[in-house]
Amino acid sequence: MRVLLIGANGYLGRYVADRLLADPAVQLTALGRGDDADVRFDLATGSPGALTRFLDAVHPGVVVNCAGATRGGARELTRHNTVAVATICESLRRSSCGARLVHLGCGSEYGPSQPGSSTAEDAVPRPGGPYGVSKLAATELVLGSGLDAVVLRIFSPVGPGTPAGSPLGRLAEAMRRAMQSGDSELKLGGLGVQRDFVDVRDVARAVHAASLSAAQGVVNIGTGRAVRLREAASVLARVAGFGGALHEIDSPPARLVIPGPSPEHPVGSPPATYPYPDGCGTWQQADVRTARDRLGWRPRIGLEESLADIWMEAACRI
């Protein structure tokens, strides 16, 4: 099976590439903007015609799109998350390859949900910020393209490679600083937010399964269990061997506060406040029955293992 992987060097794409390469039946080609891609192509600026000619030459059976941006202004997010997907869909429609498209969406497309509820694929999307809007627009392009396509809505991915600027990455970095300086307590805020954290390696397994399946439409990829950031911080402290106290400070419920020091926030300055980046408010939990029934997929890696891997990388950071 020839697979064209777009965005192989991203956080999720690296693990998807590893998973696909482990399948001896897969012949993988990576397309991206970096020098280490098999083929260099910028989806945000490249023409559908150029991509169509490449598709006709390589003739993949499956195209997997892991590319996109999680941060930036509305125009940048739209360019990398929406325009890029329009290019992919248009190129596949023009191409003679007839490839199946596996596109990675995200739970942010749903927006805030009722605490205690599980969000199923038939929920009406109400994204709470430009990132979710740009990803939802991409999903609508895929679903309306007429292609053999499936959209995997990934909830909150965690595990090795978690970006240092993400909420859990910032928690690990704050804990590393506290242990390095010998602090006996760590003050954190905004830990009431609850998210459905799914390991990136389980996400890669879901992409592999979707590539081989006939499933179409939207499929949620999560664990089906929301975890409070306060609980994640406690687990992280345990795996890190942090013997100090965790004190939660008052902050708006959907914001994560990590204290300094840093060049921007030296000792003695107020804690730095970061909005939780997904625009989903205080609660999000996936209904994952469709992934089980149509992909034969279930998550295998628990949050403690994911956090242990995040800590291992943070602890090695100089």
Side-chain angles (χ1 to χ4, degrees), residues 233-278:
S234 297
V235 174
L236 186 62
R238 184 171 70 249
V239 300
F242 177 65
L246 296 177
H247 293 297
E248 187 169 2
I249 57 179
D250 291 335
S251 64
R255 299 177 75 84
L256 175 67
V257 179
I258 300 293
S262 71
E264 295 82 10
H265 302 281
V267 175
S269 67
T273 303
Y274 305 87
Y276 201 93
D278 60 9

Side-chain angles (χ1 to χ4, degrees), residues 203-230:
V203 171
R205 288 180 42 249
V207 172
H208 188 204
S211 300
L212 300 173
S213 79
Q216 295 187 337
V218 174
V219 179
N220 288 341
I221 302 298
T223 65
R225 175 177 176 258
V227 175
R228 200 178 299 271
L229 271 177
R230 185 183 304 113

